[in-house]
């Protein structure tokens, strides 16, 4: 199923992104105002993708995101992770834990033209190796410009 | 807790909204592009608020939403509900089920200056009684212009 493929892909990417070192990317201040695409919850704290997360696409990247390719220089995607709050049969989002980011940059030739970054709730960069920790997994989606998640009309 | 109050409030409102008859509101075509605020999952199909839902605020209503009052004429809020897909420890959203909407309208004096509506996935209005089914519960939030959910920075 599409949701499973998406989940597996995002899981592989973010888990590995957060495990390595190095990134030239900073956290954009306005990511929360970008286009919300979809959300997912992984309530197991032992899981590398624990959290209530959303996928946001920068307005200038949205047309390419919807097509699945053709991202312009500077295109941005953000995936914030929030704590998971389960009460009375409802699962909601708690405080922000971290934000994963991709930015289109033609100089990032070793990583398919994307910069990868991850940041804590204060905007401080977390250690990662963009190639070994992120792009190696994204290469599986070369036909979609290395982006796993997809627009669902 | 704030999340519980929000949940209880939204639950009461939407359950009742969907149970009654009558609304002059139509579903705005662009609700998905509005500001995403927060999300919640209620996986029990027997629950009146079953679904993976998001809260979206129209850009022109966002400043008031963040302040908790002062909504301008025409201000819009939308709460889409999606099917819940649980696989491999992850909960994601499936197809759209319905969309609940509030629109600021000073002529709606019997309902605190808000029109209330709910629509199926095709945009067809569902039956509701805006006063008995919606506003009676919203009156508990008169000090926040009858809006339950709150912006979390």
């Amino acid at each position: 199923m599409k949701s499973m493929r998406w989940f597996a892909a995002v899981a592989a990417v973010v888990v590995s992104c957060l495990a390595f070192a190095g990134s030239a990317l900073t956290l954009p201040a306005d990511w929360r105002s970008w286009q919300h695409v979809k959300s997912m919850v992984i309530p197991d704290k032992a899981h590398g993708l624990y959290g209530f997360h959303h996928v946001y696409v920068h307005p200038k990247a949205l047309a390419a995101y919807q097509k699945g390719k053709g991202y312009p220089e500077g295109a941005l995607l953000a995936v914030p992770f929030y704590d998971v709050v389960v009460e009375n049969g409802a699962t909601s989002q708690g405080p922000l834990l971290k934000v994963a980011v991709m930015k289109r940059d033609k100089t990032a030739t070793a990583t398919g033209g994307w910069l990868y970054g991850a940041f804590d709730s204060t905007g401080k960069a977390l250690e990662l190796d963009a190639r070994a920790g992120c792009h190696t997994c994204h290469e599986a989606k070369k036909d979609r410009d290395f982006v796993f998640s997809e627009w669902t009309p």
Side-chain angles (χ1 to χ4, degrees), chain A:
Chain A
M1 291 178 64
K2 182 182 289 184
S3 60
M4 268 309 294
R5 294 198 302 272
W6 181 70
F7 157 66
V10 172
V13 169
V14 178
V15 168
S16 55
C17 277
L18 300 178
F20 296 84
S23 171
L25 185 58
T26 57
L27 179 63
D30 60 347
W31 60 266
R32 193 169 171 184
S33 69
W34 303 349
Q35 173 67 58
H36 173 248
V37 173
K38 58 171 62 176
S39 302
M40 183 182 279
V41 184
I42 296 179
D44 179 6
K45 287 197 173 186
H47 195 292
L49 271 180
Y50 165 77
F52 199 135
H53 74 252
H54 309 304
V55 177
Y56 291 100
V57 179
H58 188 283
K60 293 181 179 175
L62 186 59
Y65 187 90
Q66 291 172 329
K67 284 187 291 187
K69 57 172 54 189
Y71 291 89
E73 185 73 359
L76 284 156
L77 311 178
V79 181
F81 289 76
Y82 296 84
D83 210 358
V84 178
V85 179
V86 180
E87 289 179 318
N88 198 27
T91 299
S92 56
Q93 58 186 81
L96 178 64
L97 301 176
K98 61 196 174 199
V99 186
V101 175
M102 288 176 68
K103 182 177 183 178
R104 197 71 166 152
D105 183 333
K106 62 184 177 185
T107 69
T109 54
T111 48
W114 287 101
L115 297 175
Y116 296 84
F119 306 87
D120 69 14
S121 62
T122 70
K124 179 184 173 185
L126 298 170
E127 291 191 348
L128 82 169
D129 179 324
R131 181 167 174 76
C134 304
H135 194 64
T136 296
C137 292
H138 279 259
E139 282 180 332
K141 284 290 182 177
K142 186 174 182 179
D143 64 337
R144 294 184 60 82
D145 277 4
F146 308 108
V147 173
F148 279 109
S149 64
E150 298 182 16
W151 179 260
T152 49

